[in-house]
Amino acid sequence: MSTNDTREAIMDAARLMVQANGYNALSFREVAKAVGVKSASVHYHFPTKGDLGAALARRYTEELTGYLGGLLALPDSGERWAQYYTDVFRSPLLNDNRMCMAGIMAAEHSDLPSEVRLEVNRFIDANVEWLAAVLSKRAPKADAALIQRQALAIFAAIEGAQLIARGRGDIAAFDQSVEAYRVAGLLP
Amino acid sequence: MSTNDTREAIMDAARLMVQANGYNALSFREVAKAVGVKSASVHYHFPTKGDLGAALARRYTEELTGYLGGLLALPDSGERWAQYYTDVFRSPLLNDNRMCMAGIMAAEHSDLPSEVRLEVNRFIDANVEWLAAVLSKRAPKADAALIQRQALAIFAAIEGAQLIARGRGDIAAFDQSVEAYRVAGLLP
DNA sequence: ACCTGAACACCGTTCAAGT
DNA sequence: ACCTGAACACCGTTCAAGT
């Protein structure tokens, strides 16, 4: 197994743990066990837990922005973007009731090393920017500050729907909340 | 110091820790240090961490339902309930960027002992019930299922606004999201 | 009734040592 | 370049022992 494989295996195992139980529950010894090395070896690839957490969050943001960028390029994305976007936050619930990595890390905010906090903020910013871009497409004459505020609110509301659905262990709570957002007009 | 005083001191210290860092970061040794006893003594009052967590969540729900019950009795609460309610979730952010105990525990869902999970669900239910009661007052003829769904969505959206504001360390994000909910009509 | 010290298996981290 | 064993100070929990 090459170096890169071990590093990738560490990130894959760690990602699942964070989305299942949060940054605090991420354990170097457990990651090592899942990968088949010793915990000291995990420290070789990621010197501190903060380094690993920040790397996970950075990759997570990159994956999402890549996907969202593709959506924006679709000719008729204006019609279906809301569905595609909410599905991104629905899918981890389907996968063993997991959560958005940034959402669960936001809850752990004061426990996070600063390098991890920074990546959480970047994830939030990337989502708000994308949502604002979509809203602007749909209403080109709307006030920029108002668009920004609505984008933030949509992101917060979807994260909240995911949080509550997870707390209840009931994905229907997510669907019902999102539907109510749509009815209210918060979500186009 | 009487027995009761020690028990109360434990709950007070533990509550602050959970709202600051979550259930996972709650430490018997740290609680003991804050109270001025040894960790084994904390175990005398709360045999397991799950017992302590469940007791905290139960009291938290009781305090909120007591407060909300009072609001419902106000003659003109229909006009101001939204403001009072959102302020409940705004205040912990003001207090060292803390979070709603149920919100942060919902994020830790799969890590929680079942007795703690149960109390988290009760907190959510209590909030949704109260919101549904208020919505029914304002629209007596509305469909019950629709009211229930909107109540859940309001709760989820407010929790999400708190989560994101905390993740950013910026209370303005909470205020802007809530304002956007109001503009959209999700929040009356 | 309430508290404690000591032990147990965990944790992240460090570091000298191996290959 | 990559991995390991051993040590350190932490953690929740248990329990016999103190008052």
Side-chain angles (χ1 to χ4, degrees):
Chain A
M1 188 159 68
S2 79
T3 299
N4 215 35
D5 283 347
T6 301
R7 202 189 141 88
E8 289 304 307
I10 289 171
M11 289 192 77
D12 289 346
R15 179 192 169 132
L16 286 175
M17 289 183 192
V18 171
Q19 288 196 255
N21 301 318
Y23 176 81
N24 272 307
L26 175 62
S27 154
F28 271 52
R29 280 180 172 83
E30 288 296 316
V31 169
K33 204 177 294 175
V35 174
V37 293
K38 299 296 172 181
S39 76
S41 180
V42 179
H43 281 282
Y44 172 78
H45 293 281
F46 301 94
T48 70
K49 192 170 162 178
D51 291 325
L52 177 53
L56 291 173
R58 201 176 314 121
R59 167 172 295 187
Y60 193 69
T61 303
E62 282 164 7
E63 284 177 8
L64 183 76
T65 52
Y67 173 72
L68 294 183
L71 285 191
L72 214 51
L74 285 182
D76 59 346
S77 65
E79 295 294 310
R80 297 177 297 176
W81 71 269
Q83 174 77 29
Y84 287 138
Y85 186 73
T86 59
D87 276 353
V88 170
F89 294 87
R90 188 182 196 275
S91 59
L93 291 171
L94 283 173
N95 186 14
D96 286 332
N97 197 29
R98 287 187 164 82
M99 253 188 91
C100 163
M101 194 185 290
I104 195 163
M105 282 180 166
E108 300 175 290
H109 182 265
S110 56
D111 245 17
L112 300 177
S114 60
E115 63 269 27
V116 181
R117 265 187 225 177
L118 178 68
E119 295 300 333
V120 172
N121 281 336
R122 284 191 178 147
F123 180 85
I124 297 173
D125 291 342
N127 277 271
V128 173
E129 268 177 41
W130 184 83
L131 286 164
V134 172
L135 292 172
S136 292
K137 261 191 165 183
R138 296 177 55 92
K141 298 192 305 178
D143 177 59
L146 202 137
I147 290 264
Q148 199 72 15
R149 207 174 57 188
Q150 192 187 352
L152 177 64
I154 289 174
F155 177 67
I158 292 173
E159 285 278 354
Q162 191 191 60
L163 180 70
I164 301 312
R166 171 172 158 97
R168 282 198 155 174
D170 176 20
I171 199 168
F174 179 82
D175 295 331
Q176 288 171 20
S177 295
V178 168
E179 177 58 19
Y181 298 158
R182 217 184 304 271
V183 168
L186 177 66
L187 213 60
Chain B
M1 189 157 68
S2 81
T3 300
N4 216 34
D5 282 349
T6 301
R7 205 188 138 87
E8 288 304 307
I10 288 170
M11 290 191 76
D12 289 346
R15 179 194 169 131
L16 285 175
M17 288 181 192
V18 171
Q19 289 197 255
N21 300 320
Y23 176 82
N24 272 308
L26 175 62
S27 155
F28 271 52
R29 281 179 171 83
E30 287 295 316
V31 169
K33 205 177 292 176
V35 174
V37 293
K38 298 296 172 182
S39 77
S41 181
V42 179
H43 282 281
Y44 172 77
H45 294 280
F46 301 94
T48 69
K49 192 170 161 177
D51 292 324
L52 177 53
L56 290 174
R58 202 176 314 120
R59 167 171 295 186
Y60 193 68
T61 303
E62 283 165 6
E63 284 176 7
L64 183 76
T65 53
Y67 174 72
L68 294 182
L71 286 191
L72 215 50
L74 285 182
D76 59 346
S77 66
E79 295 296 310
R80 295 177 299 176
W81 72 269
Q83 173 77 32
Y84 287 138
Y85 186 74
T86 57
D87 276 352
V88 169
F89 294 86
R90 189 182 195 274
S91 59
L93 291 171
L94 282 173
N95 186 14
D96 285 332
N97 196 29
R98 286 186 164 83
M99 253 188 89
C100 164
M101 195 187 290
I104 195 164
M105 282 180 166
E108 299 174 291
H109 181 265
S110 56
D111 244 17
L112 300 178
S114 60
E115 65 269 27
V116 180
R117 265 187 226 180
L118 179 69
E119 295 301 332
V120 172
N121 281 335
R122 284 190 176 148
F123 180 86
I124 297 173
D125 291 342
N127 277 270
V128 174
E129 270 178 39
W130 184 83
L131 286 163
V134 171
L135 292 172
S136 293
K137 261 190 164 182
R138 297 176 55 94
K141 300 192 302 180
D143 177 59
L146 202 135
I147 290 264
Q148 200 72 16
R149 206 174 58 188
Q150 191 186 353
L152 178 64
I154 289 173
F155 177 67
I158 292 173
E159 285 280 353
Q162 191 192 58
L163 179 69
I164 301 313
R166 172 173 157 96
R168 282 197 155 174
D170 176 19
I171 199 168
F174 179 82
D175 295 333
Q176 288 171 20
S177 295
V178 167
E179 176 60 18
Y181 298 158
R182 218 184 304 273
V183 168
L186 177 66
L187 211 60

